[in-house]
Amino acid sequence: MSEETVDLVKRLKIVEGHVRGVQRMVDEGAYCIDILRQTLAIRRALEKFDALVLDRHLHHCVTEAIRSSDSADQERALAEILEIFAATRA
Amino acid sequence: MSEETVDLVKRLKIVEGHVRGVQRMVDEGAYCIDILRQTLAIRRALEKFDALVLDRHLHHCVTEAIRSSDSADQERALAEILEIFAATRA
Amino acid sequence: MSEETVDLVKRLKIVEGHVRGVQRMVDEGAYCIDILRQTLAIRRALEKFDALVLDRHLHHCVTEAIRSSDSADQERALAEILEIFAATRA
Amino acid sequence: MSEETVDLVKRLKIVEGHVRGVQRMVDEGAYCIDILRQTLAIRRALEKFDALVLDRHLHHCVTEAIRSSDSADQERALAEILEIFAATRA
């Protein structure tokens, strides 16, 4: 496993632990606002994870697709970025 | 535990399982875009969870605070909603 | 007009001028990334505007509705906040 | 001006008119929730505009940069996409 992959999995393990922590908070009747602050932190952590995945994707898959002579591959690579972009903000 | 609490915990367990599924995808070298589609689904699930928590919060804590005669409580309750609102969109 | 209203209108006039500025950039063939940086700034300004409107709304309309003895009014006030919250993040 | 540019400018003119409409609403003391619904619609229109600009950017500037032999140009093109991506969701 590459160092990058190890880092990505580690980040998700932290997110997983964080989600379990929020389960306990809900179980124990924590204050709603404190729960919302924690789920916000989880979403921020997922956004950071996504940024790293997209970085890797642009530097490898997209760069290769654009340099290839296969125009269908190129178009698919760009369409996928636009799809992710539209989905994250909409 | 109230029915609402049971539902909230169940939703978080599903999120937790989903996060573990993405770990496996990363481990096994899944395509980046497929990973991003899954983390987007996780964030949508967390947003739905947050909406339910906020709903409960408005109907109980905020309603009580506003009806109380304690103006510091009232102000705190409104300030917290504005804080969450600003944090989720900024 | 209250001071608050004057401030809100002034903020929208700045947004309007900003949007016209981006029209000129597009017209003159500005670099795409520079255009996107400007539209991001416009959205940040609108988010700040929204936060001020919501603040006012919570302190006046919502507070009055919750204190009224009309439970339909109360429910509507809370449902509208949840609607705005869901729409801004989804 | 290309057809694409004409379309982009037209979209911004509609946004500009929409912002002026919200100014009138504020001036005339419209209900806060109705104001927030309109600013949400404006932000949706800006997001659609951004998606079109990004589409054009990926198909032209980014594709050219990646095909060029200038690795600094390539890196800058990818870094800018990541910047926009991080800014829109954070």
Side-chain angles (χ1 to χ4, degrees):
Chain A
M1 253 198 305
S2 75
E3 205 180 313
E4 251 177 339
T5 304
V6 171
D7 174 58
L8 289 173
V9 171
K10 205 175 82 181
R11 285 173 181 276
L12 290 177
K13 281 193 188 306
I14 292 170
V15 168
E16 190 194 329
H18 209 152
V19 173
R20 264 199 303 274
V22 181
Q23 284 171 37
R24 268 193 305 278
M25 290 176 75
V26 175
D27 251 356
E28 296 166 1
Y31 185 51
C32 300
I33 295 291
D34 289 331
I35 292 171
L36 292 173
R37 284 177 183 134
Q38 293 310 311
T39 55
L40 270 168
I42 291 171
R43 282 200 278 153
R44 292 291 168 267
L46 284 172
E47 284 166 13
K48 180 64 188 162
F49 171 88
D50 285 0
L52 292 169
V53 172
L54 185 65
D55 188 324
R56 187 158 85 157
H57 181 61
L58 289 172
H59 282 90
H60 299 114
C61 315
V62 176
T63 297
E64 275 168 43
I66 289 177
R67 284 189 187 147
S68 78
S69 52
D70 185 333
S71 69
D73 260 23
Q74 294 163 16
E75 193 43 52
R76 185 185 44 74
L78 299 184
E80 283 171 349
I81 294 174
L82 292 166
E83 172 207 327
I84 294 296
F85 189 76
T88 56
R89 50 177 23 193
Chain B
M1 256 198 304
S2 74
E3 203 180 315
E4 251 177 339
T5 303
V6 171
D7 174 58
L8 289 174
V9 171
K10 205 174 82 180
R11 285 173 181 275
L12 290 177
K13 280 193 190 304
I14 292 170
V15 168
E16 191 194 330
H18 208 153
V19 172
R20 262 199 304 275
V22 181
Q23 282 171 38
R24 267 193 305 278
M25 289 176 77
V26 174
D27 251 356
E28 297 166 359
Y31 185 51
C32 300
I33 294 292
D34 290 331
I35 292 171
L36 293 172
R37 284 178 182 133
Q38 293 310 311
T39 55
L40 271 169
I42 291 171
R43 283 198 279 154
R44 291 292 168 267
L46 285 171
E47 284 165 13
K48 180 66 189 161
F49 172 87
D50 285 0
L52 293 168
V53 172
L54 185 65
D55 187 326
R56 188 158 84 156
H57 181 60
L58 290 172
H59 282 90
H60 300 113
C61 314
V62 176
T63 297
E64 276 168 43
I66 289 177
R67 284 188 188 148
S68 80
S69 54
D70 185 332
S71 69
D73 261 23
Q74 294 162 15
E75 194 42 52
R76 186 184 43 74
L78 299 185
E80 283 171 349
I81 294 174
L82 293 166
E83 173 208 325
I84 294 296
F85 189 77
T88 56
R89 49 178 22 194
Chain C
M1 253 196 307
S2 75
E3 203 180 316
E4 252 177 338
T5 303
V6 171
D7 174 59
L8 288 174
V9 171
K10 206 175 81 180
R11 285 173 181 275
L12 290 176
K13 281 194 188 305
I14 292 170
V15 167
E16 190 194 330
H18 209 153
V19 172
R20 264 200 303 274
V22 180
Q23 283 171 37
R24 268 193 304 278
M25 289 176 76
V26 174
D27 251 356
E28 296 166 2
Y31 185 51
C32 300
I33 295 292
D34 289 331
I35 292 171
L36 292 172
R37 284 178 183 132
Q38 292 310 312
T39 54
L40 271 168
I42 290 172
R43 283 199 279 153
R44 293 290 167 268
L46 284 171
E47 284 166 12
K48 180 65 189 162
F49 171 87
D50 285 0
L52 293 169
V53 172
L54 186 64
D55 188 326
R56 188 157 85 156
H57 181 60
L58 289 172
H59 282 89
H60 299 113
C61 316
V62 176
T63 297
E64 275 168 44
I66 289 177
R67 284 189 188 148
S68 79
S69 53
D70 184 333
S71 69
D73 261 22
Q74 294 163 16
E75 194 42 53
R76 186 184 43 74
L78 299 185
E80 283 171 348
I81 294 174
L82 292 167
E83 172 207 327
I84 294 295
F85 189 76
T88 56
R89 49 177 24 192
Chain D
M1 254 198 307
S2 74
E3 203 180 314
E4 252 178 339
T5 303
V6 171
D7 175 58
L8 289 174
V9 171
K10 204 174 83 179
R11 285 173 182 275
L12 290 177
K13 280 193 190 305
I14 292 170
V15 167
E16 191 194 329
H18 209 154
V19 173
R20 264 198 304 274
V22 180
Q23 283 171 36
R24 267 193 305 277
M25 291 175 75
V26 174
D27 252 355
E28 296 166 2
Y31 185 50
C32 300
I33 295 291
D34 289 332
I35 292 171
L36 292 173
R37 283 176 183 134
Q38 293 309 313
T39 55
L40 270 168
I42 291 171
R43 282 199 280 153
R44 292 290 168 268
L46 284 171
E47 284 166 13
K48 180 66 188 161
F49 171 87
D50 285 0
L52 293 169
V53 172
L54 185 65
D55 188 326
R56 188 158 85 156
H57 181 62
L58 289 173
H59 282 89
H60 299 113
C61 315
V62 176
T63 296
E64 275 168 43
I66 288 178
R67 284 188 187 148
S68 79
S69 52
D70 185 333
S71 68
D73 260 24
Q74 294 163 17
E75 193 44 51
R76 186 185 44 72
L78 299 184
E80 283 170 349
I81 294 175
L82 292 166
E83 173 207 326
I84 294 296
F85 189 76
T88 55
R89 52 179 19 195

